[in-house]
Amino acid sequence: MSIFGVLGFVLFGASVVAGSFSSPPAELYSALVAEKIRTTALVPPNPMQYPQYTDRTVGEWLYFSPDTWTTGFFPATLYAMYERAKYCHWEADNVSEWLTLGRQWGSAEIPLETNNTLQHDVGFVSYPFIAELEVDPGNQTAITAVNQFAADLAARFNPTVGCTRSWDTPNPVDFEVIMDNMMNLELFFVSEALTGNRTFVDMAISHANKTMQHHVRPDGSSFHVVEYNATSGDVIARFTAQGYSNSSTWSRGQAWGIYGFANSTAIDAPTVYMHTHIFDYLETSRHMASYFLAHLPDDGVVPWDFNAPLTPPRPADSSAAMVAANGLILLAQQEASLIPSNTTGYSYYIEAAVELLRANIELAWRPSWQSLLANGTVNNPEHNNLTGIVYGDYYFVKAGNELLNMNITAC
Ligand code: GLY
């Protein structure tokens, strides 16, 4: 949960009466979770590289240079394990080891914030620094990194379009924005909290409003990419890059949207800034969640794209399932934070999240692999599927933590 998500829940969630829920899958709290992550963490490559996805047969991590969009997820997982160690009252040495490992892997990203080719993906790589600020709000390295990454993102904002640019294009008039970019907005809000720079908040709100307007279809499904004319701001095309077709719904994009809009609701709430947007974002997240849940197959396993043909079998995407589960949990927290609390909505989204976790972990849990989960799809058009994925594992750990934090379950 973001700094602001925590605030939103703590400030307004007190009136929620803890309910009785289905038990989350036991794998979320298996001893193997800590064991595997620790084993990977204790042998950082030299020079530093970061795990992104695994091979398809034995599940060994493939490592990539720090200047890669997924770099932040493994260090952020280590910080999440530090949080887990505290929730579960593990021994003090063990607690501090997770923090040491998180700091070691996170600080090795430096100086990525001043020299990268990440384009819009600075949001994900900032996660370890945002996590560090939750531990030590005065950590100057983390403050500088967050502010610099936010400045990188702000430099991609076009006021005529009203969005930050996702990908660079051969013709700069073609201004492409992907649904995934909703996940970056937290970076703007965290930086604004550090510096008071309201411009970043205005950019985040503008980006979310445009995405709500142009990416989300009337039935709650979503386009992956919207291309604007950078000069006029007009929408000139809608298409997919990682999905099945231009009119289909790529499941991870849909999951980023559920989470991103629920998180924009969360980060808006404590500042009571642009108050009217809270309900628009909440409603958009609900609508996207509703599409996601209604289009799951009977076994509850998330396909890589909701419209991909069933034959030949659609590869699953356990990472989309984990992102969506976190989006549903965040949505539940927002329902709880309403005044008065929407307890029905809270219970509905918790149950939906637990069921999504159950169905997808049952398929994807791989004790013998280095990753926690298999059955992830990095990029199906490039035939990169059926692997472990570092962000699938990160959102797996995070979902487990949130359920502990909310007293849905215990260690
Ligand atoms: N943001 C890239 C992806 O979800 O694959």
Side-chain angles (χ1 to χ4, degrees), residues 35-259:
E35 196 178 307
K36 288 197 204 188
I37 295 169
R38 187 170 179 275
T39 302
T40 300
L42 288 177
V43 284
N46 186 9
M48 192 54 151
Q49 292 194 312
Y50 291 83
Q52 187 187 74
Y53 62 93
T54 70
D55 72 276
R56 298 166 70 161
T57 47
V58 292
E60 283 182 1
W61 286 121
L62 304 180
Y63 286 80
F64 291 77
S65 88
D67 192 9
T68 303
W69 77 274
T70 48
T71 285
F73 288 110
F74 188 68
T77 305
L78 298 169
Y79 277 97
M81 289 307 296
Y82 168 63
E83 207 178 315
R84 172 77 57 98
K86 287 191 294 176
Y87 287 137
C88 297
H89 307 291
W90 293 346
E91 287 174 15
D93 284 357
N94 196 287
V95 175
S96 64
E97 185 189 33
W98 287 114
L99 183 57
T100 303
L101 289 170
R103 285 178 165 160
Q104 182 189 342
W105 280 76
S107 59
E109 283 189 28
I110 302 283
L112 197 59
E113 75 285 4
T114 54
N115 183 16
N116 68 72
T117 61
L118 293 165
Q119 302 179 28
H120 78 101
D121 276 319
V122 288
F124 292 120
V125 296
S126 68
Y127 280 5
F129 301 107
I130 293 176
E132 175 61 38
L133 291 177
E134 295 189 25
V135 180
D136 174 11
N139 184 303
Q140 198 51 53
T141 306
I143 291 171
T144 303
V146 164
N147 289 335
Q148 187 60 52
F149 281 130
D152 289 352
L153 186 61
R156 302 181 70 78
F157 186 80
N158 174 323
T160 306
V161 173
C163 289
T164 55
R165 182 192 284 270
S166 296
W167 296 321
D168 294 340
T169 46
N171 180 352
V173 175
D174 300 334
F175 191 103
E176 293 180 352
V177 180
I178 59 176
M179 177 57 84
D180 324 26
N181 214 332
M182 279 301 298
M183 298 298 288
N184 286 331
L185 303 186
E186 181 174 336
L187 175 60
F188 275 151
F189 283 88
V190 175
S191 182
E192 184 268 344
L194 293 169
T195 64
N197 186 346
R198 305 298 291 187
T199 312
F200 287 176
V201 173
D202 292 340
M203 288 178 181
I205 288 172
S206 172
H207 186 101
N209 288 347
K210 290 283 180 175
T211 305
M212 197 162 58
Q213 192 181 348
H214 298 304
H215 275 77
V216 184
R217 303 186 187 103
D219 66 354
S221 65
S222 57
F223 293 100
H224 182 201
V225 189
V226 175
E227 187 170 284
Y228 298 87
N229 179 306
T231 311
S232 68
D234 294 339
V235 172
I236 51 178
R238 291 183 172 93
F239 56 93
T240 196
Q242 280 163 261
Y244 172 67
S245 76
N246 291 342
S247 58
S248 73
T249 297
W250 174 51
S251 61
R252 195 162 61 247
Q254 187 76 9
W256 292 138
I258 297 168
Y259 190 103

Side-chain angles (χ1 to χ4, degrees), residues 341-376:
S341 288
N342 176 2
T343 50
T344 309
Y346 173 79
S347 301
Y348 172 78
Y349 289 120
I350 291 295
E351 278 298 343
V354 169
E355 176 54 26
L356 193 61
L357 291 166
R358 188 202 59 72
N360 288 276
I361 291 172
E362 190 173 292
L363 174 78
W365 178 248
R366 283 294 182 285
S368 67
W369 284 26
Q370 288 183 338
S371 59
L372 303 172
L373 300 178
N375 289 94

Side-chain angles (χ1 to χ4, degrees), residues 379-396:
N379 190 330
N380 205 57
E382 292 180 358
H383 310 291
N384 189 345
N385 56 27
L386 298 175
T387 68
I389 305 183
V390 71
Y391 39 92
D393 282 8
Y394 168 70
Y395 286 104
F396 171 100

